[in-house]
Tab-separated table of all heavy atoms in Angstrom:
chain	number	residue	atom	x	y	z
A	448	TRP	N	15.391	18.771	-17.443
A	448	TRP	CA	16.183	19.219	-18.579
A	448	TRP	C	17.674	19.139	-18.239
A	448	TRP	O	18.480	18.623	-19.006
A	448	TRP	CB	15.791	20.658	-18.927
A	448	TRP	CG	16.402	21.171	-20.180
A	448	TRP	CD1	15.948	20.984	-21.443
A	448	TRP	CD2	17.584	21.964	-20.292
A	448	TRP	NE1	16.778	21.608	-22.332
A	448	TRP	CE2	17.784	22.218	-21.661
A	448	TRP	CE3	18.487	22.487	-19.359
A	448	TRP	CZ2	18.846	22.969	-22.140
A	448	TRP	CZ3	19.558	23.238	-19.826
A	448	TRP	CH2	19.736	23.476	-21.200
A	449	VAL	N	18.018	19.628	-17.049
A	449	VAL	CA	19.424	19.616	-16.643
A	449	VAL	C	19.918	18.175	-16.494
A	449	VAL	O	20.970	17.813	-17.018
A	449	VAL	CB	19.602	20.395	-15.324
A	449	VAL	CG1	21.028	20.214	-14.799
A	449	VAL	CG2	19.302	21.866	-15.543
A	450	PHE	N	19.140	17.353	-15.824
A	450	PHE	CA	19.586	15.965	-15.605
A	450	PHE	C	19.742	15.222	-16.935
A	450	PHE	O	20.660	14.430	-17.111
A	450	PHE	CB	18.599	15.211	-14.720
A	450	PHE	CG	18.714	15.594	-13.270
A	450	PHE	CD1	17.600	15.974	-12.548
A	450	PHE	CD2	19.937	15.569	-12.620
A	450	PHE	CE1	17.700	16.331	-11.216
A	450	PHE	CE2	20.054	15.924	-11.289
A	450	PHE	CZ	18.938	16.310	-10.595
A	451	LYS	N	18.794	15.460	-17.853
A	451	LYS	CA	18.860	14.741	-19.127
A	451	LYS	C	20.033	15.211	-19.975
A	451	LYS	O	20.398	14.571	-20.953
A	451	LYS	CB	17.551	14.939	-19.910
A	451	LYS	CG	16.418	14.075	-19.430
A	451	LYS	CD	16.683	12.596	-19.603
A	451	LYS	CE	16.370	12.138	-21.003
A	451	LYS	NZ	16.368	10.667	-21.121
A	452	ARG	N	20.589	16.365	-19.645
A	452	ARG	CA	21.718	16.838	-20.429
A	452	ARG	C	23.048	16.545	-19.743
A	452	ARG	O	24.089	16.618	-20.374
A	452	ARG	CB	21.586	18.340	-20.662
A	452	ARG	CG	21.292	18.631	-22.107
A	452	ARG	CD	20.461	19.880	-22.284
A	452	ARG	NE	19.533	19.733	-23.395
A	452	ARG	CZ	18.389	19.049	-23.327
A	452	ARG	NH1	18.028	18.452	-22.202
A	452	ARG	NH2	17.613	18.963	-24.377
A	453	THR	N	22.986	16.223	-18.461
A	453	THR	CA	24.247	16.016	-17.746
A	453	THR	C	24.392	14.573	-17.273
A	453	THR	O	25.104	13.779	-17.867
A	453	THR	CB	24.317	16.968	-16.545
A	453	THR	OG1	23.132	16.812	-15.764
A	453	THR	CG2	24.430	18.402	-17.004
A	454	LEU	N	23.673	14.240	-16.201
A	454	LEU	CA	23.885	12.947	-15.559
A	454	LEU	C	23.347	11.765	-16.365
A	454	LEU	O	23.968	10.713	-16.422
A	454	LEU	CB	23.182	12.947	-14.195
A	454	LEU	CG	23.984	13.453	-13.022
A	454	LEU	CD1	23.153	13.317	-11.761
A	454	LEU	CD2	25.272	12.636	-12.889
A	455	LEU	N	22.172	11.957	-16.943
A	455	LEU	CA	21.475	10.816	-17.548
A	455	LEU	C	21.032	11.135	-18.965
A	455	LEU	O	19.834	11.225	-19.245
A	455	LEU	CB	20.258	10.464	-16.686
A	455	LEU	CG	20.556	10.029	-15.263
A	455	LEU	CD1	19.370	10.283	-14.344
A	455	LEU	CD2	20.926	8.562	-15.226
A	456	PRO	N	21.957	11.316	-19.865
A	456	PRO	CA	21.577	11.735	-21.219
A	456	PRO	C	20.933	10.604	-22.016
A	456	PRO	O	21.126	9.430	-21.706
A	456	PRO	CB	22.917	12.148	-21.846
A	456	PRO	CG	23.936	11.349	-21.109
A	456	PRO	CD	23.392	11.095	-19.735
A	457	GLY	N	20.180	10.973	-23.034
A	457	GLY	CA	19.571	9.946	-23.900
A	457	GLY	C	18.236	10.401	-24.448
A	457	GLY	O	17.597	11.304	-23.913
A	458	GLN	N	17.793	9.772	-25.522
A	458	GLN	CA	16.508	10.080	-26.153
A	458	GLN	C	15.363	9.558	-25.295
A	458	GLN	O	15.500	8.526	-24.648
A	458	GLN	CB	16.448	9.389	-27.507
A	458	GLN	CG	17.175	10.123	-28.612
A	458	GLN	CD	16.271	11.160	-29.238
A	458	GLN	OE1	15.136	10.870	-29.545
A	458	GLN	NE2	16.768	12.366	-29.413
A	459	SER	N	14.241	10.271	-25.327
A	459	SER	CA	13.091	9.771	-24.579
A	459	SER	C	12.206	8.936	-25.505
A	459	SER	O	12.296	9.046	-26.716
A	459	SER	CB	12.288	10.935	-24.020
A	459	SER	OG	11.784	11.691	-25.083
A	460	ARG	N	11.362	8.127	-24.896
A	460	ARG	CA	10.499	7.259	-25.707
A	460	ARG	C	9.305	8.029	-26.254
A	460	ARG	O	8.733	8.864	-25.565
A	460	ARG	CB	9.994	6.100	-24.852
A	460	ARG	CG	11.097	5.209	-24.421
A	460	ARG	CD	10.691	3.753	-24.511
A	460	ARG	NE	11.861	2.937	-24.249
A	460	ARG	CZ	12.530	2.323	-25.204
A	460	ARG	NH1	12.139	2.411	-26.441
A	460	ARG	NH2	13.585	1.604	-24.895
A	461	PRO	N	8.935	7.738	-27.473
A	461	PRO	CA	7.825	8.470	-28.092
A	461	PRO	C	6.463	8.090	-27.505
A	461	PRO	O	6.291	7.010	-26.954
A	461	PRO	CB	7.916	8.069	-29.568
A	461	PRO	CG	8.694	6.803	-29.589
A	461	PRO	CD	9.563	6.773	-28.387
A	462	LEU	N	5.521	9.013	-27.656
A	462	LEU	CA	4.192	8.863	-27.043
A	462	LEU	C	3.303	7.848	-27.753
A	462	LEU	O	3.204	7.835	-28.972
A	462	LEU	CB	3.497	10.227	-27.070
A	462	LEU	CG	2.060	10.275	-26.561
A	462	LEU	CD1	2.048	10.341	-25.046
A	462	LEU	CD2	1.318	11.461	-27.123
A	463	VAL	N	2.684	6.998	-26.958
A	463	VAL	CA	1.570	6.156	-27.421
A	463	VAL	C	0.551	6.181	-26.288
A	463	VAL	O	0.840	5.742	-25.191
A	463	VAL	CB	1.978	4.690	-27.647
A	463	VAL	CG1	0.803	3.907	-28.193
A	463	VAL	CG2	3.163	4.580	-28.554
A	464	LEU	N	-0.616	6.716	-26.539
A	464	LEU	CA	-1.586	6.865	-25.455
A	464	LEU	C	-2.988	6.786	-25.996
A	464	LEU	O	-3.308	7.422	-27.002
A	464	LEU	CB	-1.365	8.215	-24.767
A	464	LEU	CG	-2.309	8.569	-23.630
A	464	LEU	CD1	-1.910	7.802	-22.380
A	464	LEU	CD2	-2.282	10.057	-23.357
A	465	GLU	N	-3.832	6.024	-25.331
A	465	GLU	CA	-5.222	5.972	-25.766
A	465	GLU	C	-5.959	7.210	-25.271
A	465	GLU	O	-5.783	7.638	-24.131
A	465	GLU	CB	-5.909	4.720	-25.216
A	465	GLU	CG	-7.344	4.651	-25.690
A	465	GLU	CD	-8.057	3.381	-25.273
A	465	GLU	OE1	-7.444	2.559	-24.575
A	465	GLU	OE2	-9.226	3.235	-25.646
A	466	LEU	N	-6.777	7.793	-26.145
A	466	LEU	CA	-7.612	8.927	-25.749
A	466	LEU	C	-9.047	8.427	-25.635
A	466	LEU	O	-9.711	8.220	-26.636
A	466	LEU	CB	-7.526	10.048	-26.790
A	466	LEU	CG	-6.146	10.619	-27.077
A	466	LEU	CD1	-6.228	11.649	-28.192
A	466	LEU	CD2	-5.548	11.247	-25.834
A	467	PRO	N	-9.523	8.213	-24.431
A	467	PRO	CA	-10.873	7.670	-24.282
A	467	PRO	C	-11.938	8.677	-24.692
A	467	PRO	O	-11.668	9.869	-24.769
A	467	PRO	CB	-10.961	7.367	-22.787
A	467	PRO	CG	-9.951	8.246	-22.143
A	467	PRO	CD	-8.871	8.483	-23.146
A	468	ASP	N	-13.131	8.169	-24.945
A	468	ASP	CA	-14.253	9.069	-25.222
A	468	ASP	C	-14.526	9.929	-23.997
A	468	ASP	O	-14.328	9.494	-22.864
A	468	ASP	CB	-15.519	8.255	-25.532
A	468	ASP	CG	-15.528	7.757	-26.962
A	468	ASP	OD1	-14.851	8.376	-27.803
A	468	ASP	OD2	-16.199	6.756	-27.222
A	469	TYR	N	-14.999	11.126	-24.252
A	469	TYR	CA	-15.402	11.971	-23.119
A	469	TYR	C	-16.638	11.378	-22.476
A	469	TYR	O	-17.532	10.875	-23.159
A	469	TYR	CB	-15.691	13.391	-23.595
A	469	TYR	CG	-14.449	14.132	-24.011
A	469	TYR	CD1	-14.070	14.206	-25.339
A	469	TYR	CD2	-13.638	14.736	-23.059
A	469	TYR	CE1	-12.911	14.874	-25.720
A	469	TYR	CE2	-12.486	15.403	-23.433
A	469	TYR	CZ	-12.136	15.462	-24.759
A	469	TYR	OH	-10.991	16.108	-25.124
A	470	ARG	N	-16.673	11.415	-21.169
A	470	ARG	CA	-17.826	10.873	-20.449
A	470	ARG	C	-18.235	11.821	-19.355
A	470	ARG	O	-17.429	12.601	-18.867
A	470	ARG	CB	-17.445	9.553	-19.778
A	470	ARG	CG	-17.376	8.418	-20.733
A	470	ARG	CD	-17.225	7.104	-19.999
A	470	ARG	NE	-16.886	6.089	-20.982
A	470	ARG	CZ	-15.962	5.168	-20.804
A	470	ARG	NH1	-15.293	5.115	-19.683
A	470	ARG	NH2	-15.703	4.298	-21.736
A	471	LEU	N	-19.495	11.670	-18.948
A	471	LEU	CA	-19.932	12.418	-17.770
A	471	LEU	C	-19.279	11.784	-16.560
A	471	LEU	O	-19.290	10.575	-16.397
A	471	LEU	CB	-21.444	12.335	-17.627
A	471	LEU	CG	-22.228	13.382	-18.406
A	471	LEU	CD1	-23.711	13.203	-18.150
A	471	LEU	CD2	-21.791	14.777	-18.017
A	472	PRO	N	-18.658	12.586	-15.693
A	472	PRO	CA	-17.980	12.002	-14.539
A	472	PRO	C	-18.962	11.432	-13.533
A	472	PRO	O	-20.129	11.810	-13.493
A	472	PRO	CB	-17.217	13.185	-13.949
A	472	PRO	CG	-17.936	14.391	-14.426
A	472	PRO	CD	-18.534	14.039	-15.750
A	473	SER	N	-18.475	10.496	-12.739
A	473	SER	CA	-19.327	9.871	-11.740
A	473	SER	C	-19.129	10.544	-10.387
A	473	SER	O	-18.028	10.576	-9.836
A	473	SER	CB	-18.986	8.384	-11.643
A	473	SER	OG	-19.201	7.911	-10.348
A	474	LEU	N	-20.221	11.071	-9.876
A	474	LEU	CA	-20.176	11.773	-8.599
A	474	LEU	C	-19.778	10.808	-7.489
A	474	LEU	O	-19.015	11.130	-6.578
A	474	LEU	CB	-21.560	12.349	-8.317
A	474	LEU	CG	-21.598	13.498	-7.319
A	474	LEU	CD1	-20.825	14.672	-7.859
A	474	LEU	CD2	-23.035	13.885	-7.032
A	475	ARG	N	-20.308	9.593	-7.612
A	475	ARG	CA	-20.080	8.582	-6.601
A	475	ARG	C	-18.587	8.258	-6.465
A	475	ARG	O	-18.050	8.214	-5.371
A	475	ARG	CB	-20.876	7.350	-7.010
A	475	ARG	CG	-20.676	6.173	-6.155
A	475	ARG	CD	-21.401	4.999	-6.769
A	475	ARG	NE	-22.222	4.353	-5.778
A	475	ARG	CZ	-23.487	4.034	-5.949
A	475	ARG	NH1	-24.096	4.317	-7.072
A	475	ARG	NH2	-24.150	3.432	-5.003
A	476	THR	N	-17.929	8.054	-7.625
A	476	THR	CA	-16.499	7.764	-7.611
A	476	THR	C	-15.735	8.908	-6.962
A	476	THR	O	-14.851	8.698	-6.133
A	476	THR	CB	-15.967	7.577	-9.049
A	476	THR	OG1	-16.814	6.657	-9.706
A	476	THR	CG2	-14.559	7.080	-9.050
A	477	ALA	N	-16.083	10.133	-7.356
A	477	ALA	CA	-15.373	11.288	-6.835
A	477	ALA	C	-15.528	11.368	-5.316
A	477	ALA	O	-14.570	11.620	-4.589
A	477	ALA	CB	-15.891	12.559	-7.493
A	478	LEU	N	-16.744	11.106	-4.843
A	478	LEU	CA	-16.971	11.168	-3.398
A	478	LEU	C	-16.171	10.080	-2.689
A	478	LEU	O	-15.620	10.287	-1.611
A	478	LEU	CB	-18.464	11.017	-3.095
A	478	LEU	CG	-19.293	12.245	-3.454
A	478	LEU	CD1	-20.782	11.957	-3.274
A	478	LEU	CD2	-18.879	13.444	-2.604
A	479	LEU	N	-16.113	8.926	-3.338
A	479	LEU	CA	-15.397	7.799	-2.750
A	479	LEU	C	-13.909	8.115	-2.589
A	479	LEU	O	-13.310	7.898	-1.532
A	479	LEU	CB	-15.575	6.597	-3.668
A	479	LEU	CG	-15.401	5.258	-3.028
A	479	LEU	CD1	-16.565	4.980	-2.111
A	479	LEU	CD2	-15.302	4.194	-4.110
A	480	VAL	N	-13.318	8.637	-3.665
A	480	VAL	CA	-11.894	8.984	-3.622
A	480	VAL	C	-11.653	10.050	-2.564
A	480	VAL	O	-10.711	9.980	-1.774
A	480	VAL	CB	-11.417	9.480	-5.004
A	480	VAL	CG1	-10.004	10.018	-4.917
A	480	VAL	CG2	-11.490	8.365	-6.015
A	481	THR	N	-12.560	11.044	-2.532
A	481	THR	CA	-12.412	12.117	-1.565
A	481	THR	C	-12.460	11.568	-0.139
A	481	THR	O	-11.635	11.925	0.707
A	481	THR	CB	-13.534	13.154	-1.753
A	481	THR	OG1	-13.563	13.519	-3.127
A	481	THR	CG2	-13.297	14.372	-0.911
A	482	ALA	N	-13.403	10.692	0.105
A	482	ALA	CA	-13.529	10.130	1.453
A	482	ALA	C	-12.276	9.348	1.824
A	482	ALA	O	-11.782	9.431	2.958
A	482	ALA	CB	-14.755	9.217	1.519
A	483	ASP	N	-11.728	8.641	0.839
A	483	ASP	CA	-10.533	7.850	1.090
A	483	ASP	C	-9.359	8.748	1.466
A	483	ASP	O	-8.616	8.483	2.402
A	483	ASP	CB	-10.208	7.042	-0.171
A	483	ASP	CG	-9.329	5.848	0.135
A	483	ASP	OD1	-9.603	5.195	1.167
A	483	ASP	OD2	-8.385	5.589	-0.622
A	484	ARG	N	-9.221	9.849	0.720
A	484	ARG	CA	-8.127	10.774	0.999
A	484	ARG	C	-8.315	11.415	2.358
A	484	ARG	O	-7.359	11.589	3.115
A	484	ARG	CB	-8.075	11.872	-0.057
A	484	ARG	CG	-7.497	11.460	-1.340
A	484	ARG	CD	-6.212	10.698	-1.218
A	484	ARG	NE	-5.161	11.411	-0.511
A	484	ARG	CZ	-3.895	11.012	-0.481
A	484	ARG	NH1	-3.534	9.930	-1.125
A	484	ARG	NH2	-3.003	11.694	0.176
A	485	ALA	N	-9.544	11.807	2.656
A	485	ALA	CA	-9.816	12.453	3.935
A	485	ALA	C	-9.449	11.504	5.077
A	485	ALA	O	-8.832	11.899	6.061
A	485	ALA	CB	-11.281	12.852	4.019
A	486	ARG	N	-9.790	10.234	4.886
A	486	ARG	CA	-9.494	9.255	5.915
A	486	ARG	C	-7.979	9.143	6.144
A	486	ARG	O	-7.506	9.185	7.272
A	486	ARG	CB	-10.055	7.890	5.487
A	486	ARG	CG	-9.969	6.812	6.529
A	486	ARG	CD	-10.477	5.488	5.957
A	486	ARG	NE	-9.732	5.090	4.765
A	486	ARG	CZ	-8.560	4.443	4.808
A	486	ARG	NH1	-8.034	4.131	5.958
A	486	ARG	NH2	-7.946	4.129	3.698
A	487	LEU	N	-7.231	9.061	5.031
A	487	LEU	CA	-5.784	8.945	5.166
A	487	LEU	C	-5.188	10.175	5.846
A	487	LEU	O	-4.296	10.069	6.679
A	487	LEU	CB	-5.134	8.761	3.791
A	487	LEU	CG	-5.276	7.371	3.212
A	487	LEU	CD1	-4.736	7.328	1.801
A	487	LEU	CD2	-4.537	6.376	4.091
A	488	PHE	N	-5.712	11.336	5.479
A	488	PHE	CA	-5.219	12.571	6.079
A	488	PHE	C	-5.498	12.580	7.576
A	488	PHE	O	-4.654	12.943	8.387
A	488	PHE	CB	-5.889	13.768	5.394
A	488	PHE	CG	-5.440	15.098	5.914
A	488	PHE	CD1	-4.196	15.590	5.588
A	488	PHE	CD2	-6.266	15.854	6.728
A	488	PHE	CE1	-3.771	16.818	6.061
A	488	PHE	CE2	-5.851	17.079	7.204
A	488	PHE	CZ	-4.600	17.569	6.868
A	489	LEU	N	-6.697	12.149	7.946
A	489	LEU	CA	-7.057	12.141	9.361
A	489	LEU	C	-6.195	11.140	10.131
A	489	LEU	O	-5.770	11.405	11.261
A	489	LEU	CB	-8.539	11.804	9.528
A	489	LEU	CG	-9.475	12.907	9.059
A	489	LEU	CD1	-10.926	12.476	9.185
A	489	LEU	CD2	-9.236	14.187	9.864
A	490	VAL	N	-5.937	9.990	9.506
A	490	VAL	CA	-5.083	9.000	10.166
A	490	VAL	C	-3.704	9.589	10.413
A	490	VAL	O	-3.135	9.465	11.494
A	490	VAL	CB	-4.972	7.718	9.293
A	490	VAL	CG1	-3.842	6.835	9.780
A	490	VAL	CG2	-6.286	6.967	9.302
A	491	LYS	N	-3.204	10.294	9.401
A	491	LYS	CA	-1.885	10.895	9.533
A	491	LYS	C	-1.886	11.957	10.631
A	491	LYS	O	-0.974	12.035	11.440
A	491	LYS	CB	-1.475	11.515	8.200
A	491	LYS	CG	0.003	11.715	8.060
A	491	LYS	CD	0.322	12.139	6.637
A	491	LYS	CE	1.784	12.500	6.506
A	491	LYS	NZ	2.067	13.152	5.223
Side-chain angles (χ1 to χ4, degrees):
Chain A
W448 188 84
V449 172
F450 284 128
K451 281 297 277 191
R452 249 149 215 78
T453 53
L454 272 183
L455 298 155
Q458 279 274 313
S459 63
R460 295 221 173 257
L462 176 81
V463 183
L464 178 77
E465 181 175 2
L466 302 176
D468 280 336
Y469 290 97
R470 284 189 192 137
L471 274 181
S473 149
L474 201 63
R475 175 186 230 131
T476 310
L478 287 173
L479 203 71
V480 172
T481 309
D483 201 42
R484 283 313 302 191
R486 187 183 58 83
L487 284 174
F488 181 74
L489 290 177
V490 166
K491 201 172 174 191

